[in-house]
Amino acid sequence: HGEPPTDPRTIVKAMKELGAEHCFISSDLGQLYSPLPVEGMRSYVAILRRCGLTADELRTMFPRHPARIAGLD
């Protein structure tokens, strides 16, 4: 993409400031040279967890909010 990656601690700090109820997690993975979407998301969630998001915050942002946005809840 040409941009340096954002430090995940910065992302977690912003998510904590906004609150899980105002955030959701999604992915644009799946391109030829990117990880498979499931593996990439699994890795990303693990990184966010290590950087301080709780399991409940993660469940709120993924899958609850994306399901609600898609009308699947």
Side-chain angles (χ1 to χ4, degrees), residues 11-58:
I11 295 168
V12 167
K13 182 176 185 272
M15 289 173 162
K16 292 259 188 202
E17 288 173 0
L18 290 168
E21 65 276 7
H22 299 289
C23 300
F24 71 93
I25 299 172
S26 65
S27 166
D28 65 349
L29 293 170
Q31 301 85 5
L32 183 60
Y33 296 107
S34 294
L36 293 173
V38 172
E39 290 303 317
M41 186 61 77
R42 185 177 292 131
S43 295
Y44 187 53
V45 166
I47 290 167
L48 295 175
R49 186 88 163 105
R50 283 195 306 269
C51 289
L53 286 181
T54 67
D56 191 53
E57 288 169 323
L58 286 164

